[in-house]
Amino acid sequence: MKKVITTTMLLALLLSSCDKKIFKEQLYTETTEQEKINTDSKKIADLPIQIDSITTQILIHPIILVDKEPKKYLDRSSYKANNNTIDYVNHYNDIITGNIVNLNFEGIDSNKFVTLSTQDIKINSITFLRDIYNNTTKELLLYSVLDTDTNNDKLIDAKDNSTLYISHINGSNFKRLSLVKNDILYRHKFTLNNQRLYFSTLQDINKDNTLDTKDKLHYGYIDLTSTSLVIHAYTPL
């Protein structure tokens, strides 16, 4: 009798396990790529970063995504054997890199947090514009961001082209270097004499991710000494 009961229990457990496996497989097939990333990931805050040698006393708190199976754009962590800790965010000189999806800014004496973006974004790197600061004392951050499916594979990942965003050191006036909807950053260049950031964007009209005669280039600049960082369009041709 014990053998019969044991066999019956094992069979019930096996069937239950199979049902769960089938349910998981059905759920997996009905889940989008973005939903899978959210399901398998968790957001945490890394320890604050302070850019040195600046007058504004701002702490930058990176919000990072910890993935069970990191995608390429998240796989930027480094291992420290000396203390067995993992650095999900790296800060070297004026550049911050890591699996960053947002930032919180805090004044040293305020204890109040200001969030960079209302939605999570894939930030490749953050650069403090040291030359601009040395010439104007303006404290600006330039961001490399993945926000557009430039190769038309229905995903936004490391295979896509990144674009640039800019903000003040406290996260204010955060904006994309863009001139028309869904354009792609083509080139950018700083001119220190007039403190401008010039850039051009590609309007990929035929959606082939290359510049050809069917596409259109747009030109703009930002006066880096201005408070609002307004983007001005110009026509060089």
Side-chain angles (χ1 to χ4, degrees):
M1 178 63 70
K2 289 183 178 179
K3 290 184 178 179
V4 173
I5 293 174
T6 303
T7 304
T8 303
M9 291 176 64
L10 288 173
L11 181 60
L13 289 171
L14 181 61
L15 289 173
S16 174
S17 176
C18 290
D19 288 342
K20 289 180 180 178
K21 183 178 181 181
I22 292 171
F23 174 74
K24 286 182 178 179
E25 289 177 348
Q26 290 174 343
L27 182 63
Y28 181 84
T29 56
E30 295 173 356
T31 303
T32 64
E33 182 68 21
Q34 186 62 41
E35 287 170 339
K36 280 189 289 180
I37 292 174
N38 291 339
T39 300
D40 294 336
S41 307
K42 181 178 180 179
K43 287 192 295 183
I44 63 174
D46 202 23
L47 296 178
I49 294 171
Q50 182 180 12
I51 304 295
D52 62 347
S53 302
I54 61 175
T55 56
T56 302
Q57 300 297 294
I58 297 291
L59 296 177
I60 301 173
H61 298 258
I63 307 301
I64 61 178
L65 196 63
V66 179
D67 230 47
K68 293 179 182 178
E69 295 181 3
K71 304 294 184 284
K72 285 186 179 179
Y73 62 82
L74 300 177
D75 190 15
R76 295 183 172 87
S77 61
S78 63
Y79 181 74
K80 287 186 177 180
N82 57 345
N83 59 8
N84 293 327
T85 61
I86 296 178
D87 282 341
Y88 292 101
V89 176
N90 300 306
H91 177 208
Y92 181 73
N93 290 337
D94 294 323
I95 299 176
I96 304 168
T97 60
N99 51 343
I100 303 168
V101 295
N102 217 328
L103 298 172
N104 280 333
F105 297 86
E106 176 192 13
I108 287 180
D109 298 324
S110 70
N111 294 321
K112 294 181 180 179
F113 293 95
V114 176
T115 302
L116 177 69
S117 174
T118 56
Q119 296 181 337
D120 291 340
I121 54 178
K122 301 177 179 69
I123 303 175
N124 289 329
S125 65
I126 306 155
T127 302
F128 176 68
L129 300 182
R130 177 70 63 181
D131 288 341
I132 301 300
Y133 171 73
N134 290 338
N135 283 273
T136 67
T137 70
K138 294 290 183 179
E139 299 156 340
L140 302 172
L141 298 175
L142 194 67
Y143 309 78
S144 173
V145 176
L146 292 168
D147 68 355
T148 304
D149 177 20
T150 58
N151 61 357
N152 302 307
D153 65 353
K154 309 301 181 183
L155 297 173
I156 298 178
D157 54 25
K159 296 178 183 178
D160 295 305
N161 296 328
S162 60
T163 191
L164 294 180
Y165 286 67
I166 195 169
S167 82
H168 292 288
I169 191 70
N170 61 0
S172 63
N173 293 104
F174 179 63
K175 60 185 58 181
R176 188 180 194 266
L177 269 61
S178 179
L179 293 160
V180 297
K181 185 177 180 180
N182 296 327
D183 57 351
I184 304 169
L185 183 69
Y186 186 62
R187 294 185 65 190
H188 73 282
K189 181 179 182 179
F190 292 94
T191 55
L192 292 178
N193 288 339
N194 59 0
Q195 306 303 327
R196 288 180 178 178
L197 168 57
Y198 286 88
F199 65 95
S200 59
T201 64
L202 169 66
Q203 189 176 4
D204 191 11
I205 296 174
N206 56 359
K207 305 297 181 182
D208 62 354
N209 198 30
T210 58
L211 174 62
D212 53 42
T213 56
K214 296 180 180 180
D215 299 325
K216 187 175 181 179
L217 282 176
H218 301 270
Y219 300 87
Y221 70 87
I222 296 178
D223 180 358
L224 299 177
T225 63
S226 68
T227 303
S228 56
L229 298 176
V230 174
I231 295 176
H232 301 274
Y234 75 98
T235 305
L237 296 176

